[in-house]
Amino acid sequence: MSRASLREFQTHLAQRLNAAQSGQSPSRWLAVMAGASRLLLPLEFSGEISPLQHVAPLPHARPWFHGLVSLRGPVCGVVHLGQFIDEDAGGAAPALTPQARLIQFAAALDLNTALLVDQLVGLRNPDQLQIDRSISSDLTRTWLGAAFRDENQTLWREVDLLALAENEQFLNVV
């Protein structure tokens, strides 16, 4: 993707996010790729989106906790969402690309954390997706919500950011 088209995509996405958060659009989720997962983050609990910056590592932290970063003043913990989801799989950390982004939790959640995702995909409306009832809930990951399929039958999982912000495993970084 060229710089011009990336800039246009980011501008268009920012406009749609502003419209969605002000109630002018039916968009409900921010669609992201995190590791091998395609995830839907609720807009009402998603905060500012930033390009990946230097992250200061935290010694003895779990592999999915990349460290600390200052995002416009506040210091935030950085969690690689794909690694957190696939923690049991082990293996090396995935290589980050220029498409990687930091998504802060909304101020309403009162958690100085940013999720590191591998790529922004865009916004999704509920009417663009069909619920997939064949995917059962994971009782150990109560923050991982409903499963959906898009028009290409691609699987998307909703992430309950409120439940994730209260999850003991997520809060225990060392």
Side-chain angles (χ1 to χ4, degrees):
M1 187 177 270
S2 72
R3 284 195 188 272
S5 63
L6 178 59
R7 191 175 327 260
E8 289 170 13
F9 171 76
Q10 289 175 332
T11 301
H12 180 68
L13 182 59
Q15 290 169 343
R16 288 185 63 197
L17 276 170
N18 287 337
Q21 290 174 335
S22 66
Q24 300 170 1
S25 169
S27 296
R28 183 174 161 195
W29 294 297
L30 178 63
V32 301
M33 299 263 314
S37 301
R38 287 176 167 77
L39 304 169
L40 302 167
L41 307 178
L43 283 177
E44 69 261 32
F45 295 119
S46 299
E48 188 172 337
I49 300 169
S50 307
L52 183 58
Q53 342 182 349
H54 172 72
V55 177
L58 186 65
H60 310 294
R62 298 209 182 195
W64 47 263
F65 189 81
H66 279 242
L68 303 171
V69 67
S70 175
L71 296 174
R72 292 190 189 216
V75 175
C76 296
V78 176
V79 173
H80 188 288
L81 189 54
Q83 277 187 284
F84 179 73
I85 290 171
D86 297 331
E87 181 179 30
D88 298 335
L96 296 173
T97 68
Q99 290 84 21
R101 295 290 181 264
L102 296 171
I103 302 171
Q104 287 180 277
F105 277 70
L109 293 177
D110 196 30
L111 189 65
N112 287 343
T113 302
L115 298 175
L116 175 59
V117 298
D118 298 299
Q119 184 178 351
L120 291 178
V121 179
L123 297 175
R124 294 295 183 269
N125 298 324
D127 58 355
Q128 292 176 306
L129 304 167
Q130 297 294 319
I131 195 157
D132 185 340
R133 298 191 195 289
S134 69
I135 307 292
S136 60
S137 297
D138 186 342
L139 298 177
T140 62
R141 297 178 182 179
T142 55
W143 48 267
L144 198 54
F148 296 89
R149 299 264 178 197
D150 62 18
E151 67 276 358
N152 299 320
Q153 295 305 307
T154 304
L155 178 66
W156 294 88
R157 292 298 299 264
E158 183 177 19
V159 176
D160 181 342
L161 292 178
L162 182 58
L164 184 62
E166 297 173 347
N167 180 273
E168 191 66 36
Q169 180 185 1
F170 183 78
L171 297 172
N172 185 13
V173 301
V174 290

